[in-house]
């Protein structure tokens, strides 16, 4: 049975259009039972040891689906999961038709708008709120960037994607690191947006019941690693 | 004829810029001389501690103090230059260990005043990147900077080097060095080199924690795990020391290649440059090469002469800065550990 379905998946992918090769998966556009779908296929990474590769690929496929379902149950926008094939490591997801990434949206607003900061404030608010709700469900995204958030066409509602590095945890530490990862990705991708990210954090803090401990951890994490004091 | 030669010499000299670079931010002391992209000399000494021990700042500084003048003389002799031929004295401003940095900065400051040459403080990380670019001719790469004190994925955008990913706790080289101490691997010539040689004889893959968070990595959990488990596994005969070296390298380097690939996808980059001491590990270069090939990207890497801390890299970054009008005034010639 599993073999049959995975052969069917392989057959489907042959006809599908390759959208993008990301860092760890290929994305295809396909039609699944009449609906526009995106297929995310994790292919083997030949640079790493086969045992490690199989373990990571399987775990990430499982985690991705689990976290999406958990988010959707809590009413947080994420693509619908249509089908999962664990043999070929494929996830069939709803295609968010006509959406743009938050990254492209911020970049184009910065280019075209006379006062981008002002214009993007509601978006930063929205990002803070959706992340607060996700963390309140104990979902740690693991790879928060502005490329992993979509804006539905013509609407201001956000959709979270790419849960491959996600996991479930209630620890403020994990949530703090999640925000730290976003902060670095955000500021390195979009120069001169410190005030905007601050806005995001304020909205996160206001929206999440558990935010004080998380923000405190975030401040701690910022001082770790190469930035820590090395007196002696 | 004579005046013609003189004019010619003046023109030739004006066109050529000679920079001497002093590096001593960790356990290596190096002095290098660069003349317009040409490495004239690059001698170096390493402070090597007994197996099971790391290098302490004050003892490292003592080592540097003892050899720095000999190294300086070597650098000038090998380059065939006199102090008068040098245009600028560059030194490592940081980041690094306080005591060794102070020692080397003091010497740089002194010779700059003795020779009447301008002084220039250089960021250590930028030194690694500029040296890598000079040697490999990489144009605009995504840089993986991996050493005993640093683990960063860096790319140039909007007129600045920006850090896209990095370790959130200890550096990859620190993880390797401290593992070497646990099972008493020799620090000569370096713990990383000896782990690399032992790993070639390992075959059994031991599962270790694997922690990637977006474009960031964490190594402290792996180190704690292996510190705790190494002796038990070795005593019970579950695996050999070689297997542990092999498994540790495979795990750490997979994490590094993964975040580099993620940063490349993020920036749309088609070049990778590996710099820093861990960057001369051939297994890391091989894994990165496989990843690049799959993406149709190009890999650039250097060998131990330029990967490991050296004086020429400080001279090279200093050369770039000096040519664009930077100098460091004496009162500003401090150092920073961060």
């Amino acid at each position: 049975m599993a073999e049959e379905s995975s052969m069917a998946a392989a057959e489907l992918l042959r006809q599908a259009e390759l959208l993008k090769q990301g860092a760890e998966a290929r994305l295809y556009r396909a039609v699944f039972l009449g609906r526009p779908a995106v297929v995310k296929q994790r292919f083997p990474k030949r640079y790493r040891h086969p045992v490690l590769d199989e373990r990571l690929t399987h775990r990430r496929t499982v985690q991705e689906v689990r976290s999406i379902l958990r988010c959707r149950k809590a009413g947080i926008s994420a693509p619908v999961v249509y089908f999962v094939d664990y043999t070929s490591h494929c996830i069939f997801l709803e295609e968010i038709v006509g959406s743009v990434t938050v990254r492209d949206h911020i970049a184009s607003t910065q280019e075209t708008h006379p006062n981008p900061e002002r214009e993007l404030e509601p978006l930063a608010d929205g990002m803070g709120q959706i992340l607060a709700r996700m963390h309140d469900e104990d979902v740690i995204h693991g790879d928060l960037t502005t490329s992993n958030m979509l804006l539905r066409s013509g609407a201001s509602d956000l959709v979270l994607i790419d849960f491959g590095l996600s996991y479930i945890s209630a620890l403020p530490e994990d949530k703090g690191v999640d925000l730290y990862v976003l902060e670095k990705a955000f500021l390195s991708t979009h120069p001169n947006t410190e005030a905007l990210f601050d806005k995001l954090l304020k909205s996160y803090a206001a929206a999440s019941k558990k935010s004080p401990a998380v923000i405190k951890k975030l401040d701690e994490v910022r001082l770790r690693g190469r930035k820590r004091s090395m007196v002696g | 004829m004579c005046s013609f030669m003189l004019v010619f010499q003046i023109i030739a000299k004006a066109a050529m810029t000679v920079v001497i670079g002093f590096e001593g931010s960790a356990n290596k002391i190096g002095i290098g001389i660069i003349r317009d992209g040409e490495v004239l000399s690059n001698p170096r000494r390493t402070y090597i501690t007994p197996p099971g021990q790391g290098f302490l700042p004050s003892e490292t500084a003592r080592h540097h103090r003892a050899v720095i003048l000999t190294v300086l003389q070597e650098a000038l002799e090998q380059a065939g230059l006199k102090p008068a031929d040098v245009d600028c004295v560059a030194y490592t401003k940081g980041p690094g260990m306080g005591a060794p940095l102070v020692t080397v900065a003091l010497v740089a400051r002194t010779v700059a005043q003795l020779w009447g040459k301008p002084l220039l403080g250089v960021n250590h990380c930028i030194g690694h990147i500029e040296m890598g670019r000079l040697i490999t001719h990489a144009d605009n790469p995504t840089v993986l900077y991996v050493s005993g004190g640093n683990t960063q994925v860096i790319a140039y955008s909007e007129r600045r080097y920006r850090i896209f990913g990095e370790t959130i706790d200890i550096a990859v080289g620190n993880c390797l060095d401290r593992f070497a101490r646990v099972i008493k691997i020799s620090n000569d010539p370096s713990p990383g080199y000896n782990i690399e040689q032992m790993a070639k004889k390992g075959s059994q893959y031991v599962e270790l924690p694997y922690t990637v968070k977006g474009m960031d990595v964490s190594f402290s959990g792996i180190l704690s795990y292996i510190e705790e488990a190494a002796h038990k596994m070795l005593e019970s005969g579950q695996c050999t020391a070689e297997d542990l070296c092999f498994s540790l390298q495979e795990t750490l380097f997979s994490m590094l290649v993964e975040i580099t690939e993620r940063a490349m996808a993020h920036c749309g980059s088609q070049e990778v440059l590996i710099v820093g001491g861990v960057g001369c590990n051939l297994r890391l270069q091989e894994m990165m090469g496989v990843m690049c090939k799959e993406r149709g990207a190009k890999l650039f890497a250097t060998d131990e002469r330029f990967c490991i801390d050296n004086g020429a890299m400080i001279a090279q970054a200093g050369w770039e800065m000096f040519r664009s009008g930077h100098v460091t005034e004496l009162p500003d010639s401090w150092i920073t550990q961060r």
Side-chain angles (χ1 to χ4, degrees), chain B residues 8-322:
Chain B
F8 181 77
Q9 274 178 352
I10 290 169
I11 292 172
K13 204 175 170 194
M16 299 290 236
T17 305
V18 177
V19 179
I20 186 166
F22 288 75
E23 155 61 30
S25 61
N27 68 336
K28 265 76 70 181
I29 168 84
I31 301 174
I33 300 178
I34 291 249
R35 180 172 60 201
D36 290 356
E38 186 191 350
V39 182
L40 299 181
S41 64
N42 198 15
R44 171 172 66 198
R45 297 282 191 285
T46 305
Y47 173 51
I48 294 169
T49 48
Q53 286 178 31
F55 49 93
L56 295 168
S58 59
E59 289 168 10
T60 310
R62 199 173 304 139
H63 166 265
H64 290 2
R65 271 201 298 277
V67 299
I68 190 166
L69 294 179
T70 317
V71 179
L72 175 57
Q73 197 158 15
E74 271 176 34
L76 287 167
E77 275 169 10
Q78 285 170 18
L81 294 181
K82 297 182 297 301
D85 303 321
V86 173
D87 295 299
C88 174
V89 177
Y91 73 97
T92 307
K93 194 161 196 166
M97 282 182 159
L101 282 172
V102 168
T103 303
V104 175
L106 179 84
V107 175
R109 236 180 262 132
T110 308
V111 297
Q113 290 178 89
L114 278 174
W115 301 346
K117 304 293 179 185
L119 191 63
L120 191 49
V122 171
N123 178 293
H124 182 83
C125 316
I126 306 283
H128 273 296
I129 299 173
E130 291 307 329
M131 197 67 205
R133 287 185 56 224
L134 171 71
I135 299 295
T136 65
H137 304 291
D139 178 35
N140 187 17
T142 297
V143 181
L144 177 67
Y145 171 26
V146 275
S147 66
N150 290 281
T151 303
Q152 295 168 359
V153 181
I154 301 167
Y156 194 80
S157 98
E158 309 259 346
R159 299 168 50 85
R160 288 191 69 167
Y161 280 114
R162 290 173 197 276
I163 298 167
F164 282 81
E166 65 183 323
T167 174
I168 59 169
D169 37 59
I170 59 172
V172 62
N174 193 235
C175 184
L176 288 165
D177 291 352
R178 284 160 73 175
F179 164 73
R181 276 178 238 165
V182 170
I183 62 167
K184 298 272 186 334
I185 293 174
S186 165
N187 289 328
D188 188 10
S190 74
Y193 178 80
N194 292 327
I195 291 174
E196 183 181 356
Q197 305 317 313
M198 285 173 73
K200 287 178 186 165
K201 294 178 207 122
S203 56
Q204 188 196 338
Y205 176 73
V206 180
E207 280 203 22
L208 297 169
Y210 185 99
T211 319
V212 167
K213 295 169 192 284
M215 283 182 269
D216 289 343
V217 284
S218 157
F219 298 117
S220 61
I222 301 176
L223 182 64
S224 305
Y225 178 88
I226 208 161
E227 277 176 344
E228 176 78 25
H231 288 297
K232 282 181 211 154
M233 286 194 270
L234 292 177
E235 276 157 28
S236 68
Q238 193 188 333
C239 64
T240 64
E242 285 76 11
D243 291 335
L244 283 180
C245 292
F246 168 73
S247 306
L248 184 63
Q249 278 200 166
E250 291 299 307
T251 309
L252 298 179
F253 297 166
S254 290
M255 290 164 61
L256 294 174
V257 175
E258 179 175 349
I259 59 165
T260 307
E261 183 170 21
R262 194 161 288 130
M264 288 171 78
H266 191 77
C267 305
S269 161
Q270 286 298 316
E271 284 183 356
V272 180
L273 170 65
I274 311 180
V275 300
V278 182
C280 53
N281 187 302
L282 294 177
R283 177 59 185 147
L284 173 60
Q285 293 185 10
E286 180 187 30
M287 288 166 74
M288 195 66 85
V290 173
M291 182 275 281
C292 285
K293 206 168 163 209
E294 282 178 0
R295 296 188 68 81
K298 264 182 96 171
L299 170 67
F300 298 92
T302 62
D303 60 34
E304 50 84 29
R305 287 170 301 165
F306 304 112
C307 256
I308 296 174
D309 291 351
N310 62 88
M313 67 184 227
I314 300 304
Q316 174 60 15
W319 183 88
E320 299 268 8
M321 290 167 74
F322 186 64

Side-chain angles (χ1 to χ4, degrees), chain A residues 152-206:
Chain A
R152 282 190 207 271
S153 64
S156 60
D157 88 348
L158 286 157
V159 184
L160 298 179
I161 58 165
D162 212 346
F163 285 84
L165 296 181
S166 69
Y167 56 100
I168 309 296
S169 164
L171 294 177
E173 160 82 21
D174 292 328
K175 295 173 186 176
V177 170
D178 217 21
L179 292 179
Y180 178 66
V181 165
L182 175 65
E183 177 174 38
K184 289 220 303 31
F186 197 103
L187 298 180
S188 56
T189 315
H190 310 290
N192 312 316
T193 50
E194 283 78 5
L196 200 64
F197 191 78
D198 226 38
K199 182 89 189 147
L200 186 159
L201 282 184
K202 285 208 176 76
S203 131
Y204 175 93

Side-chain angles (χ1 to χ4, degrees), chain A residues 65-76:
Chain A
V65 175
R66 217 175 257 171
S67 298
I68 291 178
L69 292 184
R70 196 164 172 134
C71 279
R72 288 190 54 84
K73 260 186 202 158
I76 301 159

Side-chain angles (χ1 to χ4, degrees), chain A residues 66-124:
Chain A
R66 217 175 257 171
S67 298
I68 291 178
L69 292 184
R70 196 164 172 134
C71 279
R72 288 190 54 84
K73 260 186 202 158
I76 301 159
S77 272
V80 181
V81 178
Y82 290 147
F83 181 71
V84 189
D85 178 17
Y86 289 112
T87 328
S88 62
H89 308 295
C90 283
I91 307 176
F92 290 67
L93 295 159
E94 164 198 12
E95 184 185 357
I96 313 290
V97 180
S99 58
V100 291
T101 65
V102 167
R103 176 186 180 166
D104 290 347
H105 178 75
I106 292 179
S108 69
T109 309
Q110 277 186 324
E111 246 169 52
T112 57
H113 217 272
N115 189 354
E117 197 93 324
R118 189 70 160 282
E119 180 70 14
L120 290 168
E121 267 186 17
L123 174 66

